Amino acid sequence: MSTDSQQHTHHSAALEFKSSTFSVPVLVLASNDRVIIEQQLQEKVQRAPEFFKNSPLVLDLQELNKRESDINVSELVHLIRKLELLPIGLRGGTAEQNQQALELGIPVHSGHNVTAASETQKQPQAKIDVAPEPQVFATATTLITLPVRSGQRIYAEGDLVILAQVSAGAEILAEGNIHVYGSLRGRALAGVLGNTAARIFCSDLQAELISIAGNYKVSEDLNGTVLNQPVQIYLQNHALVIKDI
Amino acid sequence: MARIIVVTSGKGGVGKTTTSAAIAMGLAKKGHKTAVIDFDVGLRNLDLIMGCERRVVYDFVNVINGEATLNQALIKDKNCSMLYILPASQTRDKDALSQEGVGKVLDELKKDFKYIVCDSPAGIEKGAHLAMYFADDAFIVTNPEVSSVRDSDRMLGILSSKSRRAEQNEEPIKEYLLLSRYSPDRVRLGEMLSVDDVQEILSLHLLGVIPESKSVLNASNSGIPVILDEKSDAGQAYADIVGRYLGEDKPHRFIDEKKGLFGKLFGGK
Ligand SMILES: Nc1ncnc2c1ncn2[C@@H]1O[C@H](COP(=O)(O)OP(=O)(O)O)[C@@H](O)[C@H]1O
Ligand SMILES: [Mg+2]
């Protein structure tokens, strides 16, 4: 018997629990009108279909519930899945909404639970509900030294520095700034979580798409004076500015 | 140490099988014991180009399934005793190959051969994946046109992220560009990308340019790898390529320095 259990300990473990942090987009709803939600979400998805396709998503109903506008979670989830997004969590839901989510196999994020909008809010976090949540942007830099080829996709939680080319058909995304020291021929999206101060720097602009915090231009919109040039790209009054450097 | 070379491209019909046959023969003729494997299960045609189709008894899938030994399946080339061919099955479907099975066969071949050339099927699906997975070197065969270059770029991305070397964090696969079916006249007319255009898009080490040549069709019709046609331009191009791969210093030929389609479209550099 004892030898038996000893033998077991010699086997390498078949599994292990590890703690990891992921950054996942949060969808904060300000309306419970499903038609409007669908319409606006579709617009967003179409701006960067490759980025959004099968992207995980956490639903945030806190704003809605504060205004006591109810929404049916299973209908909402159905609508979101139809747009090829994958809800993986719910936060800020009422007890009933949480129950609906759990029935769909969607975990409930307990941190921001509100049981009912009318309930006295003791938590200090309640204050920041008025303004958009202050966002903390990661500062780590990801360095890529090899070409990013067609079909490849790179996501950096902080800044992204690429010392080689980015091919047409490749996609690079960063929550912070993007620097490309080879030719940029693919798609480059900086500030993907909404950092409007993010910038793109590249030594040879031939991109298929450039975007900062969701404000984008496709290659057709790029005029000849900036093509094949070393440029920086930043946001000014919600518009992309492309300046040579 | 044995080296595994994958001949791949993404796109079909660009000259992978022609190239596999030629370089395998070239390496063998230089005295290196070489095996060439047809990974194109269901479509086998390496054996036709090598002229051994009437001597096929067992194939790659038989070996993987344990229905034949490697020695039973390997066909000795009729022109060169240092060269062996492992044909593909015509009757099986692509799922007959498994990563584990392919790995075993390659490991066994590595004991006996200096070079193992893997002729990849087109596409980026399972067959192409298995052909490149264990590779040490990759010969990227590209035609001078935008879609072929784009597919090659995609294949390069797969080599650098999905291969055994990438998965095990080893030194990456060495990548070489072979620009095939090149026609300087058509480049001059702006109908094709130039060597410079392709190199600029792919930023890859150029191992050689193979001209568009009637000798390729003649060679494959007679079942003799074109490299044995020493008078032909394509044969010489492949001989240069084998030489360069082995470290010989051979200046590039069959290129005409003119700006191609890409240069015209995008203003070049
Ligand atoms: N350099 C060349 N010049 C002319 N025809 C060529 C050349 N290389 C390949 N071909 C032809 O192109 C076709 C496809 O070649 P093949 O080697 O079978 O490509 P793949 O294995 O990539 O599908 C064949 O008909 C072959 O004869
Ligand atoms: Mg072929």
Side-chain angles (χ1 to χ4, degrees):
Chain A
M1 289 285 251
S2 69
T3 51
D4 222 44
S5 66
Q6 254 168 7
Q7 259 168 4
H8 274 293
T9 61
H10 285 298
H11 286 297
S12 54
L15 51 81
E16 183 183 2
F17 278 107
K18 281 196 170 169
S19 162
S20 277
T21 322
F22 296 92
S23 75
V24 175
V26 178
L27 182 68
V28 183
L29 289 179
S31 159
N32 66 350
D33 183 327
R34 279 192 292 130
V35 177
I36 294 178
I37 294 173
E38 175 160 10
Q39 194 187 339
Q40 295 191 1
L41 195 55
Q42 197 149 26
E43 276 167 27
K44 287 241 190 277
V45 168
Q46 266 159 9
R47 284 198 204 164
E50 282 302 311
F51 172 59
F52 281 113
K53 193 171 165 94
N54 296 331
S55 167
L57 202 68
V58 171
L59 304 172
D60 189 330
L61 302 181
Q62 195 157 342
E63 283 291 311
L64 274 189
N65 287 326
K66 252 172 39 197
R67 296 187 221 150
E68 293 187 65
S69 45
D70 196 20
I71 188 162
N72 181 304
V73 169
S74 73
E75 284 173 3
L76 178 64
V77 164
H78 181 72
L79 179 160
I80 288 167
R81 286 190 177 144
K82 216 173 66 187
L83 296 172
E84 296 191 275
L85 293 162
L86 302 172
I88 58 158
L90 179 81
R91 74 177 186 194
T94 62
E96 192 191 344
Q97 287 166 338
N98 290 347
Q99 187 55 38
Q100 285 174 340
L102 287 171
E103 276 163 19
L104 294 165
I106 293 175
V108 171
H109 198 278
S110 51
H112 293 249
N113 252 7
V114 281
T115 36
S118 50
E119 194 181 273
T120 41
Q121 293 169 327
K122 292 164 254 168
Q123 307 107 306
Q125 297 110 288
K127 258 182 262 160
I128 58 169
D129 286 341
V130 189
E133 266 183 63
Q135 307 197 37
V136 181
F137 297 104
T139 49
T141 296
T142 304
L143 177 68
I144 306 286
T145 56
L146 294 171
V148 186
R149 302 289 186 179
S150 173
Q152 289 187 310
R153 183 170 183 267
I154 291 187
Y155 188 99
E157 285 178 9
D159 286 359
L160 179 57
V161 177
I162 297 181
L163 297 182
Q165 67 173 28
V166 178
S167 297
E171 190 171 48
I172 54 175
L173 308 106
E175 292 173 17
N177 304 303
I178 290 178
H179 306 252
V180 181
Y181 293 97
S183 296
L184 171 56
R185 301 196 180 96
R187 304 157 68 95
L189 298 90
V192 288
L193 293 190
N195 183 356
T196 51
R199 293 185 180 213
I200 298 172
F201 305 87
C202 68
S203 57
D204 173 18
L205 178 67
Q206 303 179 32
E208 294 169 318
L209 177 143
I210 46 174
S211 162
I212 290 172
N215 300 273
Y216 69 97
K217 273 191 173 156
V218 292
S219 104
E220 227 180 56
D221 307 332
L222 303 177
N223 68 42
T225 59
V226 294
L227 277 179
N228 300 92
Q229 299 300 315
V231 295
Q232 63 161 320
I233 301 154
Y234 54 92
L235 268 186
Q236 207 167 51
N237 304 325
H238 303 289
L240 282 186
V241 179
I242 306 177
K243 269 253 165 65
D244 50 351
I245 38 176
Chain B
M1 262 301 273
R3 282 199 84 79
I4 300 175
I5 303 170
V6 62
V7 179
T8 187
S9 69
K11 202 169 157 64
V14 295
K16 289 182 294 294
T17 301
T18 304
T19 299
S20 299
I23 60 152
M25 177 61 81
L27 290 166
K29 284 227 309 165
K30 292 249 182 195
H32 304 292
K33 197 168 177 192
T34 301
V36 56
I37 308 179
D38 191 348
F39 274 77
D40 209 343
V41 174
L43 278 179
R44 71 168 227 225
N45 57 30
L46 178 70
D47 51 343
L48 295 174
I49 292 186
M50 302 294 304
C52 66
E53 74 278 8
R54 289 190 294 164
R55 287 189 286 147
V56 174
V57 183
Y58 296 110
D59 57 52
F60 193 13
V61 173
N62 291 136
V63 178
I64 285 179
N65 291 347
E67 294 151 5
T69 65
L70 199 47
N71 280 334
Q72 286 174 311
L74 283 170
I75 301 172
K76 191 177 192 166
D77 184 76
K78 61 189 178 202
N79 294 300
C80 181
S81 62
M82 298 296 271
L83 179 59
Y84 289 79
I85 300 118
L86 185 54
S89 169
Q90 253 176 333
T91 54
R92 311 295 181 103
D93 66 40
K94 292 189 166 57
D95 293 331
L97 298 182
S98 66
Q99 183 160 305
E100 195 195 352
V102 170
K104 264 195 201 149
V105 172
L106 289 174
D107 277 344
E108 205 177 330
L109 284 169
K110 277 164 97 170
K111 291 182 203 147
D112 206 20
F113 288 87
K114 178 77 214 301
Y115 292 105
I116 300 155
V117 178
C118 302
D119 179 19
S120 174
I124 53 174
E125 306 302 320
K126 190 174 174 197
H129 185 271
L130 287 174
M132 70 84 200
Y133 184 76
F134 297 97
D136 302 303
D137 300 316
F139 286 13
I140 310 294
V141 182
T142 303
N143 290 167
E145 41 157 304
V146 173
S147 68
S148 171
V149 173
R150 175 71 77 95
D151 285 356
S152 294
D153 191 67
R154 183 165 285 241
M155 184 47 74
L156 286 162
I158 292 170
L159 292 175
S160 65
S161 55
K162 305 258 166 74
S163 61
R164 185 191 61 84
R165 282 176 175 267
E167 283 180 4
Q168 304 192 352
N169 260 323
E170 289 178 22
E171 198 184 312
I173 294 177
K174 279 213 181 71
E175 303 157 343
Y176 301 90
L177 173 63
L178 280 72
L179 192 54
S180 183
R181 309 200 68 165
Y182 195 73
S183 160
D185 287 340
R186 296 193 57 197
V187 172
R188 211 170 297 128
L189 289 170
E191 295 172 359
M192 271 188 180
L193 300 174
S194 71
V195 177
D196 287 347
D197 293 339
V198 176
Q199 267 197 286
E200 178 168 347
I201 305 176
L202 291 180
S203 57
L204 205 60
H205 175 73
L206 179 70
L207 195 59
V209 172
I210 305 112
E212 172 78 23
S213 168
K214 269 214 281 281
S215 60
V216 172
L217 189 62
N218 293 340
S220 74
N221 282 339
S222 47
I224 297 168
V226 69
I227 197 169
L228 293 180
D229 183 355
E230 288 168 14
K231 292 206 190 69
S232 70
D233 47 0
Q236 291 174 21
Y238 279 119
D240 283 2
I241 283 169
V242 170
R244 280 186 210 111
Y245 174 69
L246 294 175
E248 294 166 28
D249 186 17
K250 301 217 175 237
H252 283 286
R253 298 194 271 170
F254 315 108
I255 305 176
D256 205 6
E257 311 288 1
K258 284 277 152 40
K259 220 174 241 178
L261 179 62
F262 192 70
K264 287 192 176 139
L265 279 179
F266 300 102
K269 296 150 289 182

